[in-house]
Amino acid sequence: MRLDWRGPPPLPSHREERFLPFTPEQLFDLVVDVGAYPQFLPWVAATRIRERSATHMVADMSVGFRAIRETFTSRVTLERPSAIHVDYVSGPLKHLSNDWSFAPEAGGTRVRFAVEFSFRSRLFERLAGAVFHEAFRHMVAAFEARARTLYGDPVRGVAGAVQ
């Protein structure tokens, strides 16, 4: 299920939109590099790619905070360089759906990130909901910082590029 940007989803969710001075290809490649996540994403302890092709991937991700560590599996659909869609396969959640979109604009890319999720326990969902919004904000900021580390200066030679 692709997330709809027009209205609020029925499940707990988080959405962000940012303009970044990098190409869609650069940002797509950064998000698809799941193996590097433990290097820069808070709470990601380990990742493992089970399957990979030009159009899809199946990956495990272990996340942890303090004494809690959980692993979940996702199926990822790749539409290079414009979109990435993630569907939850198995793990501690009831539901997880995640979308990234990368639209070229003068001087960079408009990035949209959306995630909706639900926990198996309604009580845990209520308790953890506020923390997850902050966690997703940190996660998006970590991707942005990683782009600056990997790609350095903003794109050059594009009309309206930041100088």
Side-chain angles (χ1 to χ4, degrees), residues 2 28 32 51-58 75-80 83-85:
R2 303 252 179 204
F28 180 95
V32 168
E51 297 175 27
R52 186 170 192 149
S53 75
T55 60
H56 86 279
M57 173 176 22
V58 176
R75 181 174 292 104
V76 184
T77 303
L78 308 170
E79 298 173 30
R80 190 173 202 279
I84 298 168
H85 176 71

PDB file of all heavy atoms in Angstrom, residues 2 28 32 51-58 75-80 83-85:
ATOM      1  N   ARG A   2       0.726   2.104  -0.975  1.00  0.00           N
ATOM      2  CA  ARG A   2       1.462   3.364  -1.030  1.00  0.00           C
ATOM      3  C   ARG A   2       0.760   4.381  -0.138  1.00  0.00           C
ATOM      4  O   ARG A   2      -0.462   4.415  -0.063  1.00  0.00           O
ATOM      5  CB  ARG A   2       1.521   3.890  -2.451  1.00  0.00           C
ATOM      6  CG  ARG A   2       2.146   2.891  -3.380  1.00  0.00           C
ATOM      7  CD  ARG A   2       3.484   3.335  -3.773  1.00  0.00           C
ATOM      8  NE  ARG A   2       4.027   2.298  -4.642  1.00  0.00           N
ATOM      9  CZ  ARG A   2       5.284   2.116  -4.814  1.00  0.00           C
ATOM     10  NH1 ARG A   2       6.128   2.878  -4.202  1.00  0.00           N
ATOM     11  NH2 ARG A   2       5.723   1.185  -5.597  1.00  0.00           N
ATOM     12  N   PHE A  28      18.621   8.790  -3.621  1.00  0.00           N
ATOM     13  CA  PHE A  28      18.101   7.433  -3.781  1.00  0.00           C
ATOM     14  C   PHE A  28      19.171   6.419  -3.350  1.00  0.00           C
ATOM     15  O   PHE A  28      18.904   5.508  -2.562  1.00  0.00           O
ATOM     16  CB  PHE A  28      17.685   7.203  -5.234  1.00  0.00           C
ATOM     17  CG  PHE A  28      17.140   5.830  -5.498  1.00  0.00           C
ATOM     18  CD1 PHE A  28      15.768   5.601  -5.470  1.00  0.00           C
ATOM     19  CD2 PHE A  28      17.976   4.759  -5.793  1.00  0.00           C
ATOM     20  CE1 PHE A  28      15.249   4.340  -5.715  1.00  0.00           C
ATOM     21  CE2 PHE A  28      17.473   3.503  -6.039  1.00  0.00           C
ATOM     22  CZ  PHE A  28      16.104   3.285  -6.000  1.00  0.00           C
ATOM     23  N   VAL A  32      18.993   3.632  -0.295  1.00  0.00           N
ATOM     24  CA  VAL A  32      19.029   2.208  -0.652  1.00  0.00           C
ATOM     25  C   VAL A  32      20.240   1.493  -0.048  1.00  0.00           C
ATOM     26  O   VAL A  32      20.250   0.267   0.057  1.00  0.00           O
ATOM     27  CB  VAL A  32      18.995   2.061  -2.194  1.00  0.00           C
ATOM     28  CG1 VAL A  32      19.322   0.661  -2.644  1.00  0.00           C
ATOM     29  CG2 VAL A  32      17.633   2.454  -2.705  1.00  0.00           C
ATOM     30  N   GLU A  51      17.765 -10.537  -0.200  1.00  0.00           N
ATOM     31  CA  GLU A  51      17.625 -10.571  -1.659  1.00  0.00           C
ATOM     32  C   GLU A  51      17.835  -9.157  -2.176  1.00  0.00           C
ATOM     33  O   GLU A  51      17.489  -8.206  -1.500  1.00  0.00           O
ATOM     34  CB  GLU A  51      16.211 -10.980  -2.089  1.00  0.00           C
ATOM     35  CG  GLU A  51      15.756 -12.334  -1.697  1.00  0.00           C
ATOM     36  CD  GLU A  51      14.290 -12.548  -2.100  1.00  0.00           C
ATOM     37  OE1 GLU A  51      13.807 -11.913  -3.066  1.00  0.00           O
ATOM     38  OE2 GLU A  51      13.632 -13.336  -1.418  1.00  0.00           O
ATOM     39  N   ARG A  52      18.363  -9.077  -3.432  1.00  0.00           N
ATOM     40  CA  ARG A  52      18.516  -7.748  -4.019  1.00  0.00           C
ATOM     41  C   ARG A  52      18.555  -7.842  -5.528  1.00  0.00           C
ATOM     42  O   ARG A  52      19.236  -8.697  -6.086  1.00  0.00           O
ATOM     43  CB  ARG A  52      19.777  -7.076  -3.518  1.00  0.00           C
ATOM     44  CG  ARG A  52      19.852  -5.649  -4.022  1.00  0.00           C
ATOM     45  CD  ARG A  52      20.936  -4.880  -3.358  1.00  0.00           C
ATOM     46  NE  ARG A  52      20.736  -3.481  -3.692  1.00  0.00           N
ATOM     47  CZ  ARG A  52      21.054  -2.504  -2.921  1.00  0.00           C
ATOM     48  NH1 ARG A  52      21.594  -2.739  -1.763  1.00  0.00           N
ATOM     49  NH2 ARG A  52      20.868  -1.266  -3.290  1.00  0.00           N
ATOM     50  N   SER A  53      17.792  -6.962  -6.175  1.00  0.00           N
ATOM     51  CA  SER A  53      17.849  -6.803  -7.627  1.00  0.00           C
ATOM     52  C   SER A  53      17.733  -5.307  -7.909  1.00  0.00           C
ATOM     53  O   SER A  53      17.672  -4.501  -6.985  1.00  0.00           O
ATOM     54  CB  SER A  53      16.709  -7.569  -8.302  1.00  0.00           C
ATOM     55  OG  SER A  53      15.475  -6.900  -8.129  1.00  0.00           O
ATOM     56  N   ALA A  54      17.651  -4.950  -9.182  1.00  0.00           N
ATOM     57  CA  ALA A  54      17.523  -3.536  -9.537  1.00  0.00           C
ATOM     58  C   ALA A  54      16.168  -2.962  -9.127  1.00  0.00           C
ATOM     59  O   ALA A  54      16.027  -1.745  -8.976  1.00  0.00           O
ATOM     60  CB  ALA A  54      17.723  -3.361 -11.036  1.00  0.00           C
ATOM     61  N   THR A  55      15.161  -3.819  -8.915  1.00  0.00           N
ATOM     62  CA  THR A  55      13.811  -3.329  -8.631  1.00  0.00           C
ATOM     63  C   THR A  55      13.266  -3.707  -7.263  1.00  0.00           C
ATOM     64  O   THR A  55      12.202  -3.219  -6.879  1.00  0.00           O
ATOM     65  CB  THR A  55      12.825  -3.834  -9.693  1.00  0.00           C
ATOM     66  OG1 THR A  55      12.834  -5.266  -9.678  1.00  0.00           O
ATOM     67  CG2 THR A  55      13.187  -3.310 -11.073  1.00  0.00           C
ATOM     68  N   HIS A  56      13.948  -4.572  -6.531  1.00  0.00           N
ATOM     69  CA  HIS A  56      13.444  -4.919  -5.195  1.00  0.00           C
ATOM     70  C   HIS A  56      14.563  -5.412  -4.285  1.00  0.00           C
ATOM     71  O   HIS A  56      15.655  -5.753  -4.734  1.00  0.00           O
ATOM     72  CB  HIS A  56      12.319  -5.952  -5.275  1.00  0.00           C
ATOM     73  CG  HIS A  56      12.809  -7.361  -5.310  1.00  0.00           C
ATOM     74  ND1 HIS A  56      13.268  -7.965  -6.447  1.00  0.00           N
ATOM     75  CD2 HIS A  56      12.924  -8.283  -4.319  1.00  0.00           C
ATOM     76  CE1 HIS A  56      13.646  -9.205  -6.170  1.00  0.00           C
ATOM     77  NE2 HIS A  56      13.455  -9.426  -4.899  1.00  0.00           N
ATOM     78  N   MET A  57      14.240  -5.440  -3.005  1.00  0.00           N
ATOM     79  CA  MET A  57      15.177  -5.911  -1.993  1.00  0.00           C
ATOM     80  C   MET A  57      14.348  -6.460  -0.831  1.00  0.00           C
ATOM     81  O   MET A  57      13.256  -5.975  -0.554  1.00  0.00           O
ATOM     82  CB  MET A  57      16.040  -4.723  -1.539  1.00  0.00           C
ATOM     83  CG  MET A  57      16.959  -4.982  -0.393  1.00  0.00           C
ATOM     84  SD  MET A  57      18.065  -3.578   0.056  1.00  0.00           S
ATOM     85  CE  MET A  57      17.300  -2.121  -0.569  1.00  0.00           C
ATOM     86  N   VAL A  58      14.883  -7.482  -0.162  1.00  0.00           N
ATOM     87  CA  VAL A  58      14.334  -7.961   1.102  1.00  0.00           C
ATOM     88  C   VAL A  58      15.456  -7.830   2.111  1.00  0.00           C
ATOM     89  O   VAL A  58      16.569  -8.321   1.872  1.00  0.00           O
ATOM     90  CB  VAL A  58      13.819  -9.408   1.010  1.00  0.00           C
ATOM     91  CG1 VAL A  58      13.356  -9.906   2.373  1.00  0.00           C
ATOM     92  CG2 VAL A  58      12.693  -9.518  -0.017  1.00  0.00           C
ATOM     93  N   ARG A  75      10.165  -5.780   2.757  1.00  0.00           N
ATOM     94  CA  ARG A  75      10.289  -5.918   1.308  1.00  0.00           C
ATOM     95  C   ARG A  75      10.305  -4.504   0.737  1.00  0.00           C
ATOM     96  O   ARG A  75       9.418  -3.696   1.049  1.00  0.00           O
ATOM     97  CB  ARG A  75       9.115  -6.704   0.723  1.00  0.00           C
ATOM     98  CG  ARG A  75       9.191  -6.913  -0.777  1.00  0.00           C
ATOM     99  CD  ARG A  75       8.083  -7.821  -1.298  1.00  0.00           C
ATOM    100  NE  ARG A  75       8.302  -9.189  -0.809  1.00  0.00           N
ATOM    101  CZ  ARG A  75       7.604  -9.765   0.182  1.00  0.00           C
ATOM    102  NH1 ARG A  75       6.647  -9.114   0.786  1.00  0.00           N
ATOM    103  NH2 ARG A  75       7.863 -11.000   0.560  1.00  0.00           N
ATOM    104  N   VAL A  76      11.311  -4.212  -0.083  1.00  0.00           N
ATOM    105  CA  VAL A  76      11.531  -2.865  -0.574  1.00  0.00           C
ATOM    106  C   VAL A  76      11.394  -2.848  -2.098  1.00  0.00           C
ATOM    107  O   VAL A  76      12.048  -3.631  -2.781  1.00  0.00           O
ATOM    108  CB  VAL A  76      12.939  -2.355  -0.173  1.00  0.00           C
ATOM    109  CG1 VAL A  76      13.147  -0.917  -0.603  1.00  0.00           C
ATOM    110  CG2 VAL A  76      13.173  -2.530   1.332  1.00  0.00           C
ATOM    111  N   THR A  77      10.542  -1.961  -2.597  1.00  0.00           N
ATOM    112  CA  THR A  77      10.376  -1.781  -4.042  1.00  0.00           C
ATOM    113  C   THR A  77      11.160  -0.542  -4.451  1.00  0.00           C
ATOM    114  O   THR A  77      11.005   0.525  -3.846  1.00  0.00           O
ATOM    115  CB  THR A  77       8.887  -1.610  -4.405  1.00  0.00           C
ATOM    116  OG1 THR A  77       8.176  -2.745  -3.920  1.00  0.00           O
ATOM    117  CG2 THR A  77       8.700  -1.492  -5.904  1.00  0.00           C
ATOM    118  N   LEU A  78      12.000  -0.705  -5.471  1.00  0.00           N
ATOM    119  CA  LEU A  78      12.906   0.362  -5.901  1.00  0.00           C
ATOM    120  C   LEU A  78      12.496   0.879  -7.277  1.00  0.00           C
ATOM    121  O   LEU A  78      12.362   0.095  -8.213  1.00  0.00           O
ATOM    122  CB  LEU A  78      14.341  -0.178  -5.976  1.00  0.00           C
ATOM    123  CG  LEU A  78      14.841  -0.899  -4.728  1.00  0.00           C
ATOM    124  CD1 LEU A  78      16.170  -1.590  -5.004  1.00  0.00           C
ATOM    125  CD2 LEU A  78      14.957   0.065  -3.572  1.00  0.00           C
ATOM    126  N   GLU A  79      12.294   2.177  -7.375  1.00  0.00           N
ATOM    127  CA  GLU A  79      12.001   2.837  -8.654  1.00  0.00           C
ATOM    128  C   GLU A  79      13.034   3.933  -8.847  1.00  0.00           C
ATOM    129  O   GLU A  79      12.762   5.108  -8.598  1.00  0.00           O
ATOM    130  CB  GLU A  79      10.577   3.411  -8.641  1.00  0.00           C
ATOM    131  CG  GLU A  79       9.500   2.356  -8.470  1.00  0.00           C
ATOM    132  CD  GLU A  79       8.117   2.956  -8.284  1.00  0.00           C
ATOM    133  OE1 GLU A  79       7.844   4.056  -8.816  1.00  0.00           O
ATOM    134  OE2 GLU A  79       7.309   2.325  -7.582  1.00  0.00           O
ATOM    135  N   ARG A  80      14.240   3.527  -9.228  1.00  0.00           N
ATOM    136  CA  ARG A  80      15.365   4.457  -9.330  1.00  0.00           C
ATOM    137  C   ARG A  80      15.138   5.471 -10.419  1.00  0.00           C
ATOM    138  O   ARG A  80      14.787   5.087 -11.513  1.00  0.00           O
ATOM    139  CB  ARG A  80      16.659   3.685  -9.576  1.00  0.00           C
ATOM    140  CG  ARG A  80      17.890   4.572  -9.457  1.00  0.00           C
ATOM    141  CD  ARG A  80      19.186   3.769  -9.528  1.00  0.00           C
ATOM    142  NE  ARG A  80      20.256   4.501  -8.934  1.00  0.00           N
ATOM    143  CZ  ARG A  80      20.934   5.461  -9.565  1.00  0.00           C
ATOM    144  NH1 ARG A  80      20.643   5.775 -10.782  1.00  0.00           N
ATOM    145  NH2 ARG A  80      21.900   6.101  -8.947  1.00  0.00           N
ATOM    146  N   ALA A  83      11.642   6.839  -6.416  1.00  0.00           N
ATOM    147  CA  ALA A  83      10.843   6.389  -5.275  1.00  0.00           C
ATOM    148  C   ALA A  83      11.353   5.087  -4.675  1.00  0.00           C
ATOM    149  O   ALA A  83      11.935   4.242  -5.373  1.00  0.00           O
ATOM    150  CB  ALA A  83       9.385   6.206  -5.698  1.00  0.00           C
ATOM    151  N   ILE A  84      11.095   4.951  -3.383  1.00  0.00           N
ATOM    152  CA  ILE A  84      11.382   3.726  -2.634  1.00  0.00           C
ATOM    153  C   ILE A  84      10.148   3.460  -1.780  1.00  0.00           C
ATOM    154  O   ILE A  84       9.665   4.354  -1.093  1.00  0.00           O
ATOM    155  CB  ILE A  84      12.627   3.882  -1.739  1.00  0.00           C
ATOM    156  CG1 ILE A  84      13.863   4.169  -2.599  1.00  0.00           C
ATOM    157  CG2 ILE A  84      12.825   2.635  -0.868  1.00  0.00           C
ATOM    158  CD1 ILE A  84      15.078   4.612  -1.807  1.00  0.00           C
ATOM    159  N   HIS A  85       9.650   2.242  -1.842  1.00  0.00           N
ATOM    160  CA  HIS A  85       8.488   1.864  -1.035  1.00  0.00           C
ATOM    161  C   HIS A  85       8.851   0.644  -0.195  1.00  0.00           C
ATOM    162  O   HIS A  85       9.406  -0.325  -0.704  1.00  0.00           O
ATOM    163  CB  HIS A  85       7.286   1.546  -1.917  1.00  0.00           C
ATOM    164  CG  HIS A  85       6.111   1.070  -1.128  1.00  0.00           C
ATOM    165  ND1 HIS A  85       5.375   1.911  -0.318  1.00  0.00           N
ATOM    166  CD2 HIS A  85       5.581  -0.162  -0.982  1.00  0.00           C
ATOM    167  CE1 HIS A  85       4.421   1.202   0.277  1.00  0.00           C
ATOM    168  NE2 HIS A  85       4.535  -0.054  -0.110  1.00  0.00           N
TER     169      HIS A  85
END
